[in-house]
């Protein structure tokens, strides 16, 4: 069976001088290799094809057969690596906590252990008759969350 670490090494070396980054690599039974990449701006099919051809060129199908799939991180999928969080700072995201609370807001900041989400909520100020929109920053550790993903809205 082809080793995940070898595929990762090959992909990282190829992507070292490019703006693309690895989101995930999975080697399933039957040597089914799935590589998911992303970019801070955009990714296209040619980028995926080029990496696929490079990885394929590093293995000999006569010695070990395999199936290779290289694709981009889906826009509606949960973030898997810190760089995906970083590229989405300032964008609207949806989070689901491990307690089952779902909320959306602006991804304000991230670091290796936390993220800050700015949400809007309605509050009635003291002495006022009407509620007003108030922003609140919520801080989460990644361990507190089931997922974070880019929020797509059609207005």
């Amino acid at each position: 069976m082809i080793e995940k670490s070898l595929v990762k090494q090959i992909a990282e070396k190829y992507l070292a001088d490019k703006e693309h980054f690895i989101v995930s690599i999975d080697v399933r039974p039957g040597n089914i290799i799935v590589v998911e990449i992303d970019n801070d701006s955009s990714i296209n099919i040619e980028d995926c094809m080029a990496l696929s051809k490079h990885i394929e060129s590093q293995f000999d199908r006569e010695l070990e057969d395999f199936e290779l799939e290289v694709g981009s991180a889906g826009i509606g999928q949960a973030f898997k690596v810190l760089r995906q969080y970083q590229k989405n700072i300032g964008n609207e995201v949806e989070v689901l906590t491990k307690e089952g609370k779902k909320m959306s807001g602006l991804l304000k900041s991230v670091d290796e252990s936390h993220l800050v989400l700015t949400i809007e909520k309605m509050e009635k100020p003291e002495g006022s008759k009407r509620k007003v929109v108030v922003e609140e920053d919520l801080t989460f550790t990644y361990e507190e969350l089931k997922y974070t993903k880019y929020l797509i809205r059609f207005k």
Side-chain angles (χ1 to χ4, degrees):
M1 185 156 161
I2 294 175
E3 293 293 321
K4 177 181 176 176
S5 59
L6 179 58
V7 177
K8 183 177 181 184
Q9 179 184 1
I10 292 167
E12 284 177 340
K13 186 175 179 183
Y14 177 80
L15 298 174
D17 61 343
K18 296 171 181 48
E19 292 182 13
H20 310 312
F21 58 93
I22 297 169
V23 173
S24 68
I25 296 176
D26 192 21
V27 179
R28 300 178 185 144
N31 274 341
I32 299 170
I33 305 166
V34 180
V35 179
E36 193 174 291
I37 60 174
D38 205 347
N39 185 303
D40 291 331
S41 55
S42 67
I43 198 123
N44 60 46
I45 189 81
E46 288 79 18
D47 299 324
C48 296
M49 286 173 40
L51 177 58
S52 178
K53 286 180 183 178
H54 177 75
I55 293 171
E56 191 167 342
S57 73
Q58 303 300 304
F59 294 103
D60 184 352
R61 286 189 185 272
E62 298 298 321
L63 296 176
E64 193 163 26
D65 196 25
F66 60 92
E67 180 180 322
L68 175 62
E69 177 185 322
V70 177
S72 63
I75 196 164
Q77 292 181 345
F79 301 160
K80 297 177 183 172
V81 295
L82 180 61
R83 193 153 166 198
Q84 288 179 297
Y85 287 90
Q86 292 168 334
K87 85 174 218 173
N88 281 288
I89 291 174
N91 290 332
E92 196 171 5
V93 297
E94 176 182 279
V95 298
L96 177 63
T97 66
K98 288 191 176 168
E99 286 112 28
K101 187 173 182 182
K102 188 184 285 189
M103 62 192 82
S104 61
L106 213 61
L107 186 58
K108 185 175 184 178
S109 65
V110 299
D111 63 26
E112 290 79 23
S113 58
H114 297 85
L115 67 86
V116 178
L117 183 70
T118 302
I119 64 165
E120 291 183 346
K121 61 182 187 176
M122 299 296 287
E123 281 188 1
K124 186 176 176 184
E126 203 171 306
S128 176
K129 292 183 180 183
R130 294 184 181 203
K131 289 185 178 184
V132 294
V133 176
V134 177
E135 288 187 349
E136 180 182 357
D137 287 347
L138 304 174
T139 302
F140 297 98
T141 64
Y142 299 108
E143 291 79 30
E144 294 175 294
L145 301 174
K146 280 191 175 180
Y147 69 73
T148 302
K149 59 185 176 180
Y150 179 76
L151 187 61
I152 304 167
R153 290 206 191 260
F154 299 99
K155 296 181 179 182

